[in-house]
């Protein structure tokens, strides 16, 4: 497998996008980046990417680890839109559960207290710039806990593909679909050709199973990106940005949050 993005074969993705275009359907492409806590060269790079591609990024910030300096930095980075990523980003799952901070085994009162604590901390840091969107660590939140989010003032929830709300409902949900990192393989960027193939598979599935437009979210982790991850991201956005089937999408639109500052995208 050639790990050099420049040598990746993007033709399968072009072909899939063309099929969407021929069907008159559009893909709302959007970006989410997790685990922000402080300014860094990687955060600068993420902000630059959002500006260059005119694609605002939903930035999931860990409340109890976030530094005051992050708030100051983000004031100069309008492409990065902070929201709440858990509370302490600690694994509090029972031993037989997958990692989670907001799983089914935690008492509801504890969950509510952590949600409020984290939200207050971020409100203190970011003020009106904080989006009322919740991103649970490890993309996991018990559907019964998600159901109470609207009553607590949350306008949106974002997890990973496959996550579904329960019968009790919840806030507007916008999942991400493609994780560009290989965690098990050593926290490295995944091979571009694998990511292209996975994107094509997911989009083809969606194309055959539904008839309308779709969302497609890229899941990023700027603190962990290596050269492979950054160059894939650059190439993916360059390849897709001008395709007529792609609608670069401000995440606020997904949650029907008013875009108060001028946004370059639809
Ligand atoms: Zn995280």
């Amino acid at each position: 497998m050639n790990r050099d993005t420049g040598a990746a074969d993007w033709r399968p993705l072009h072909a899939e996008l063309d099929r969407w275009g021929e069907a008159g359907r559009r893909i709302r492409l959007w970006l989410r980046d997790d685990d922000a806590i402080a300014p860094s060269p990687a955060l600068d790079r993420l902000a630059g990417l959002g500006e260059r591609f005119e694609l605002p990024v939903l930035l999931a910030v860990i409340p109890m680890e976030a530094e005051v300096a992050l708030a100051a930095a983000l004031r100069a980075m309008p492409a990065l839109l902070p929201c709440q990523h858990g509370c302490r980003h600690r694994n509090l799952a029972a031993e037989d559960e997958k990692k989670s901070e907001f799983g089914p085994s935690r008492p509801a009162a504890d969950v509510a207290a952590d949600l409020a604590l984290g939200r207050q901390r971020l409100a203190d840091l970011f003020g009106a710039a904080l989006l009322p969107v919740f991103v649970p660590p490890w993309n996991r939140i018990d559907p019964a806990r998600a159901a109470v989010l609207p009553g607590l003032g949350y306008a949106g929830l974002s997890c990973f593909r496959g996550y579904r709300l329960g019968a009790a409902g919840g806030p507007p949900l916008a999942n991400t679909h493609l994780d560009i990192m290989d965690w098990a393989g050593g926290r490295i960027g995944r091979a571009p050709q694998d990511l292209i193939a996975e994107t094509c598979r997911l989009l083809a599935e969606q194309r055959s199973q539904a008839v309308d437009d779709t969302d497609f979210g890229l899941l990023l982790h700027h603190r962990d990106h290596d050269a492979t991850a950054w160059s894939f991201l650059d190439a993916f956005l360059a390849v897709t940005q001008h395709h007529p089937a792609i609608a670069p999408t401000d995440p606020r639109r997904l949650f029907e949050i008013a875009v108060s500052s001028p946004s370059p995208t639809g």
Side-chain angles (χ1 to χ4, degrees):
M1 184 63 63
N2 192 334
R3 297 190 70 88
D4 175 33
T5 305
D9 181 4
W10 292 88
R11 285 173 297 181
L13 182 57
H14 274 292
E16 179 58 29
L17 296 183
D18 286 347
R19 288 180 204 111
W20 282 80
E22 285 156 16
R25 294 168 64 184
R26 303 235 290 170
I27 299 155
R28 289 180 291 263
L29 178 69
W30 72 286
L31 303 179
R32 191 185 102 202
D33 182 281
D34 287 6
D35 299 346
I37 56 172
S40 67
L43 190 76
D44 292 342
R45 187 160 182 179
L46 181 71
L49 181 134
E51 283 171 30
R52 189 152 36 93
F53 290 101
E54 300 185 345
L55 197 52
V57 182
L58 183 66
L59 185 73
V61 181
I62 302 172
M64 306 316 284
E65 289 195 31
E67 298 177 8
V68 172
L70 179 64
L74 289 190
R75 281 195 282 277
M77 298 175 174
L80 303 186
L81 309 172
C83 75
Q84 182 176 351
H85 192 31
C87 182
R88 299 177 185 84
H89 210 297
R90 285 201 195 133
N91 177 24
L92 300 173
E95 271 190 23
D96 58 343
E97 295 172 354
K98 288 185 170 177
K99 282 183 181 179
S100 74
E101 193 177 20
F102 294 88
S105 58
R106 290 193 71 202
D110 291 1
V111 166
D114 274 4
L115 285 169
L117 179 67
R119 185 152 179 208
Q120 186 59 52
R121 164 84 176 136
L122 296 183
D124 291 345
L125 282 174
F126 303 121
L130 177 68
L131 296 189
V133 172
F134 189 68
V135 175
W138 299 285
N139 293 295
R140 293 195 187 99
I141 182 169
D142 182 55
R145 308 289 181 244
V148 307
L149 291 173
L152 299 173
Y154 292 90
L157 172 67
S158 180
C159 297
F160 193 61
R161 68 184 196 231
Y163 179 83
R164 297 285 175 268
L165 295 167
L173 172 68
N175 285 335
T176 49
H177 300 85
L178 187 74
D179 184 347
I180 70 169
M181 296 297 294
D182 178 356
W183 301 102
R187 300 170 86 91
I188 56 174
R190 293 175 58 199
Q193 210 63 59
D194 293 350
L195 290 166
I196 293 166
E198 188 169 306
T199 301
C200 290
R201 180 177 61 76
L202 292 168
L203 288 175
E205 267 175 26
Q206 190 62 27
R207 187 166 45 78
S208 64
Q209 289 169 4
V211 294
D212 47 5
D213 293 351
T214 195
D215 300 335
F216 193 80
L218 264 54
L219 177 55
L220 319 177
H221 285 81
H222 68 278
R223 287 165 54 196
D224 294 294
H225 288 181
D226 57 7
T228 302
W230 285 118
S231 62
F232 170 80
L233 198 49
D234 277 341
F236 186 97
L237 295 177
V239 161
T240 56
Q241 103 183 116
H242 296 303
H243 194 285
I246 292 286
T249 297
D250 184 321
R252 287 171 289 196
R253 307 275 184 200
L254 302 173
F255 303 110
E256 295 176 12
I257 296 170
V259 177
S260 50
S261 56
S263 167
T265 64

